[in-house]
Amino acid sequence: MTAVDQLAARLDAAATGRVAVGQFGADAGLDVPTAYRVQEAVVAHRLARGERLVGLKLGLTSRAKMAQMGVDEVIWGRLTDAMRVPDGGTLRLADHLHPKAEPEVAFLVEGGAVAAVAPAIEVIDSRYVDFRFTLPEVVADNTSASRFVLGAWQPVPTGIDNLGVLLEVDGRAVQIGSTAAILGDPRRALPEAVRLAGVGGVELVDGSVLLAGAATAAVALRPGTHVRVTVEKLGTASLRVAS
Ligand code: OOG
Ligand code: MG
């Protein structure tokens, strides 16, 4: 087994066994290009279990997230069909380590362009102890991707660069922001994803989902709660959290 495969096997075991791993540390000699190879190998474990790639996500596209995680570079990860939770569906905490929800905007990609937009929730769940990682470590961990919820797809309205974003838990506002926090304008997400993933030889094929990145900091999920994201003009996406 190569070092890349070994790190991937550890991260996959952490996710499936729900036991967080310690940071790999400098000894692992993990640089960002190698970390993307680990990510590919981590996701290959999922594909071997029958999951299908359905799109990509960007991460750390907002200052709020960069500050929260202590990492200041835009990163990307892979989404599979098994990560999707239907709108209004239930997420079981027992399937996760320490999940957090964040409000996002999702794009549907057709013919290399954005065909539709939806409000979204991303559930991130770092496989590292205490959600602590370096840039290469979070890249290797598929950028903490765990689940996502998409609201209704709709044509892109004009002016989505400064829409109000609200994250509510049990009807209480816990994060408020604007789509302007996402790369200054969420429409930058597609060219950015094409550029970044292109370096790794990955394309956004027709029908791909692209999560543009969180507009605010993420919030830890608690059992028995209802989480709802509202994006002005786009509507809502929600999920229930069960133990
Ligand atoms: C990394 C993933 C960041 C976003 O939208 O900024 C991300 C993390 O915070 O664990 O998905
Ligand atoms: Mg995210």
Side-chain angles (χ1 to χ4, degrees):
M1 236 195 213
T2 67
V4 164
D5 291 335
Q6 263 170 30
L7 294 181
R10 273 167 70 184
L11 286 166
D12 183 61
T16 56
R18 288 177 285 286
V19 181
V21 290
Q23 291 184 251
F24 298 139
D27 300 349
L30 198 61
D31 58 17
V32 172
T34 310
Y36 277 108
R37 286 174 49 219
V38 175
Q39 179 189 120
E40 188 178 4
V42 167
V43 176
H45 282 271
R46 288 177 165 272
L47 303 183
R49 290 193 288 269
E51 295 181 30
R52 222 167 27 83
L53 277 179
V54 295
L56 302 180
K57 58 165 281 190
L58 291 180
L60 309 177
T61 49
S62 67
R63 298 236 160 264
K65 286 287 306 181
M66 287 182 180
Q68 184 179 32
M69 307 324 292
V71 174
D72 63 358
E73 241 179 86
V74 175
I75 55 179
W76 64 277
R78 292 155 159 101
L79 301 174
T80 73
D81 57 342
M83 297 178 184
R84 182 154 177 191
V85 176
D87 191 14
T90 301
L91 176 141
R92 290 181 56 231
L93 274 189
D95 295 338
H96 298 79
L97 287 155
H98 37 207
K100 299 181 191 177
E102 49 190 30
E104 303 228 1
V105 168
F107 294 115
L108 181 64
V109 183
E110 300 274 2
V114 166
V117 63
I121 303 174
E122 187 184 20
V123 175
I124 51 171
D125 193 23
S126 175
R127 269 53 69 165
Y128 300 106
V129 174
D130 293 339
F131 241 102
R132 292 173 65 89
F133 42 69
T134 60
L135 171 66
E137 285 167 340
V138 69
V139 165
D141 186 25
N142 198 22
T143 65
S144 310
S146 186
R147 296 284 191 276
F148 62 96
V149 180
L150 302 177
W153 289 121
Q154 55 210 276
V156 185
T158 47
I160 58 163
D161 55 318
N162 189 14
L163 301 176
V165 173
L166 175 65
L167 175 64
E168 288 169 291
V169 176
D170 292 337
R172 211 165 39 84
V174 291
Q175 291 285 340
I176 297 173
S178 160
T179 56
I182 305 166
L183 296 170
D185 180 339
R187 284 169 300 196
R188 298 214 170 101
L190 180 58
E192 191 68 4
V194 166
R195 187 179 68 78
L196 290 170
V199 175
V202 175
E203 282 178 25
L204 279 146
V205 297
D206 280 0
S208 293
V209 174
L210 174 62
L211 288 180
T216 72
V219 171
L221 293 177
R222 306 273 172 240
T225 56
H226 180 252
V227 177
R228 184 166 72 161
V229 164
T230 306
V231 182
E232 187 188 345
K233 287 191 189 175
L234 303 186
T236 65
S238 70
L239 64 85
R240 293 199 170 276
V241 185
S243 43

